[in-house]
């Protein structure tokens, strides 16, 4: 696998990079297994904060946006410990709202995709290039390829408030030059896609509403692989999947994502599916599809990816509609081999793994106790290692990230939080 052209930092892009491994590097993690260590939190208000990325040591950048059909985004450089804003970009042209993305490129710049616009910023947050993307729809983030090009796509789902996207019933994938952001190539996937893109080297994966698709970037062109389109929606009542983790020769994602536009500060209790939610595994060699129920209950709903730890032979899926998190056991061929543990947590955000320690950062939205709590589990046993309130009154359905100091950041639509042990 070729490494994406991202800045050499512990967390230069969402989910740690285009394979979405969500694995924070470093020797310590939060080290909650050490006697006497417990979690503490610092938080501040942050309007619709989406994600944090790291660049140079102690450089932390935060992406935020407004709402509506003519929303704007901006990037803040924040203090790594206090979270105060040190520098802020100008408002960046956006468009129809859906959380976008931010990444620190290997060339030193920062890239933003939000609404139907893309922007290139300097490390000091000056605007160096901006473009309007081809379709008047949100583009929900992007991935960076090994040669530095960016790949983005339009969002084909229902928008907040129940607004249908309108326009073509397919997905246009666009490749952008990293310097000028000019469109270098396009390709069409013949069904809508709601999930964010994933990529392994020069192969880009698109979770469509019924199938998993892949495209190849080579010789300046982007081509749809017509020999690979496994159908993962195979039963009545099952709905589309979200972001895919690429690990162990497979794409892993969660289904029953339809209905996320009904989010009202939480996903708990707003799912309407009669078919239980699944952890989906698609073999990238054979196209074979395996489905595994997360909890077997109706009303399941999610909007984000699972966590996959091949080293510890665990896959973690969750059902935000029912408030259940399940740790699946994996065998030597990286296939699901039963349930290892299960917990009741109202989790909705992107998970974060600490690679060295096997710690897994999840969240638990408890409005009756004042809001959301950060919860750290042992990924092997599901044992709770620590818990602390984040200060967010709403359930996070966006991103977590590691920090520079054995800590982690949590974004929600109201609050930015740093936790440390």
């Amino acid at each position: 696998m070729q490494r994406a052209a991202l800045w050499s930092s512990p967390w230069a892009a969402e989910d740690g990079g285009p394979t979405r491994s969500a694995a924070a590097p470093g020797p310590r993690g939060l080290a909650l297994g050490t006697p006497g260590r417990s979690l503490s939190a610092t938080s501040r208000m942050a309007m619709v904060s989406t994600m944090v990325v790291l660049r140079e040591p102690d450089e932390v950048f935060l992406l935020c946006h407004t709402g509506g059909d003519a929303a704007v985004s901006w990037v803040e450089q924040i203090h790594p410990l206090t979270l105060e804003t040190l520098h802020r970009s100008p408002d960046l042209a956006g468009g129809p709202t859906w959380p976008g993305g931010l990444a620190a490129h290997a060339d030193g710049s920062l890239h933003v995709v939000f609404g139907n616009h893309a922007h290139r910023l300097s490390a000091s947050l000056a605007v160096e290039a901006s473009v309007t993307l081809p379709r008047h729809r949100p583009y929900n983030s992007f991935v960076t390829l090994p040669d530095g090009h960016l790949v983005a796509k339009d969002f084909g789902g229902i928008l907040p408030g129940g607004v249908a996207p309108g326009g073509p019933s397919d997905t246009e994938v666009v490749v952008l030059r990293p310097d000028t952001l000019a469109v270098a190539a396009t390709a069409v996937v013949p069904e809508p896609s709601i999930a964010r893109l994933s990529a392994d080297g020069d192969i880009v994966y698109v979770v469509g509403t019924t199938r998993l698709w892949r495209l190849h970037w080579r010789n300046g062109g982007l081509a749809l692989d017509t020999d690979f389109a496994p159908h993962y929606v195979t039963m009545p009542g099952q709905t589309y999947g979200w972001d895919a983790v690429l690990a162990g020769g497979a794409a892993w994602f969660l289904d029953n994502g339809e209905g996320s536009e009904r989010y009202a500060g939480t996903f708990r209790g707003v799912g309407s599916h009669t078919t239980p939610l699944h952890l989906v595994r698609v073999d990238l060699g054979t196209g074979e599809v395996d489905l595994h129920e997360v909890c077997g209950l109706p009303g399941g709903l999610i909007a984000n990816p699972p966590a996959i730890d091949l080293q510890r032979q665990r896959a973690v899926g969750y059902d935000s509609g029912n408030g259940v998190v399940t740790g699946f056991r994996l065998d030597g061929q990286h296939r699901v081999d039963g349930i290892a543990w299960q917990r009741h947590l109202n989790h909705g955000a992107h998970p974060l793994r600490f690679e060295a320690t096997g710690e897994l950062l999840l969240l638990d939205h408890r409005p009756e106790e004042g809001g959301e709590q950060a919860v750290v589990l042992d990924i092997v046993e599901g044992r709770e290692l620590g818990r602390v309130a984040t200060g967010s009154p709403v359930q996070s359905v966006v991103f977590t990230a590691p920090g520079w100091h054995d800590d982690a950041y949590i974004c929600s639509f109201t609050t930015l939080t740093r936790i440390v042990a």
Side-chain angles (χ1 to χ4, degrees):
M1 181 186 72
Q2 295 174 286
R3 189 178 186 278
L6 294 168
W7 195 257
S8 181
S9 83
W11 207 258
E14 62 194 55
D15 292 326
T19 63
R20 302 196 178 275
S21 67
R28 284 171 50 88
L30 295 170
L32 285 168
T34 305
R37 290 177 71 89
S38 61
L39 288 175
S40 63
T42 301
S43 64
R44 72 162 173 95
M45 289 184 63
M47 180 185 291
V48 198
S49 63
T50 302
M51 68 180 62
V52 158
V53 301
L54 310 178
R55 191 176 168 279
E56 284 288 271
D58 276 347
E59 279 188 344
V60 182
F61 293 94
L62 171 69
L63 177 64
C64 299
H65 66 84
T66 61
D69 195 49
V72 299
S73 67
W74 67 90
V75 178
E76 299 178 14
Q77 183 182 352
I78 61 173
H79 191 282
L81 306 183
T82 69
L83 308 182
E84 67 181 303
T85 302
L86 303 177
H87 305 286
R88 186 191 189 280
S89 76
D91 285 351
L92 306 171
T97 298
W98 195 266
L102 168 69
H105 197 273
D107 66 10
S109 64
L110 297 166
H111 289 116
V112 174
V113 171
F114 172 76
N116 64 329
H117 287 79
H119 306 275
R120 182 177 191 260
L121 307 180
S122 70
S124 61
L125 302 183
V127 178
E128 297 181 332
S130 296
V131 297
T132 302
L133 297 171
R135 291 184 173 179
H136 189 71
R137 290 180 176 180
Y139 283 69
N140 54 334
S141 198
F142 63 99
V143 292
T144 305
L145 299 178
D147 68 0
H149 282 83
L150 316 181
V151 186
K153 68 158 192 70
D154 57 301
F155 173 84
I158 302 296
L159 300 176
V163 179
S169 58
D170 57 23
T171 301
E172 185 181 48
V173 183
V174 298
V175 180
L176 305 177
R177 288 177 52 98
D179 49 2
T180 64
L181 303 179
V183 174
T186 64
V188 173
V189 171
E191 67 176 355
S193 172
I194 290 82
R196 291 169 181 247
L197 297 172
S198 304
D200 188 351
D202 290 329
I203 304 176
V204 178
Y205 289 89
V206 180
V207 179
T209 47
T210 66
R211 298 175 180 268
L212 178 67
W213 307 86
R214 71 181 172 203
L215 304 97
H216 297 269
W217 168 248
R218 60 168 74 98
N219 301 323
L222 187 67
L224 182 68
D225 186 343
T226 56
D227 295 324
F228 183 89
H231 202 152
Y232 69 87
V233 173
T234 58
M235 59 186 68
Q238 183 189 10
T239 69
Y240 58 73
W242 282 84
D243 316 351
V245 179
L246 307 179
W252 305 78
F253 53 94
L254 298 164
D255 66 3
N256 281 7
E258 184 177 285
S260 60
E261 71 280 358
R262 293 195 294 272
Y263 171 82
T266 180
F267 280 142
R268 184 67 187 267
V270 303
S272 61
H273 305 109
T274 56
T275 300
L277 189 149
H278 302 90
L279 173 68
V280 182
R281 180 188 186 274
V282 181
D283 189 293
L284 299 180
T286 66
E288 179 183 358
V289 176
D290 297 320
L291 302 176
H292 304 277
E293 291 184 0
V294 169
C295 64
L297 298 173
L301 181 66
I302 54 88
N304 287 315
I308 310 298
D309 189 332
L310 299 181
Q311 176 187 344
R312 295 175 178 85
Q313 296 183 303
R314 291 293 182 268
V316 179
Y318 48 94
D319 179 339
S320 303
N322 288 298
V324 177
V325 180
T326 299
F328 294 92
R329 188 179 302 107
L330 303 182
D331 64 18
Q333 284 71 51
H334 308 314
R335 293 179 176 273
V336 172
D337 186 27
I339 292 176
W341 53 265
Q342 195 167 72
R343 297 190 66 92
H344 291 277
L345 297 173
N346 292 318
H347 173 80
H350 287 240
L352 176 63
R353 299 189 297 114
F354 290 89
E355 208 161 26
T357 61
E359 294 167 305
L360 176 67
L361 173 60
L362 300 176
L363 303 172
D364 190 11
H365 186 241
R366 295 190 174 190
E368 71 281 3
E369 297 182 22
E372 192 145 72
Q373 299 173 9
V375 181
V376 179
L377 304 181
D378 172 349
I379 199 170
V380 175
E381 301 175 358
R383 179 169 48 93
E384 186 172 312
L385 303 175
R387 177 186 288 258
V388 68
T390 68
S392 176
V394 302
Q395 182 180 54
S396 172
V397 291
V398 281
F399 286 86
T400 55
W404 289 105
H405 302 282
D406 301 320
D407 52 358
Y409 300 101
I410 300 161
C411 294
S412 82
F413 290 154
T414 62
T415 309
L416 172 65
T417 305
R418 172 182 178 259
I419 63 168
V420 66

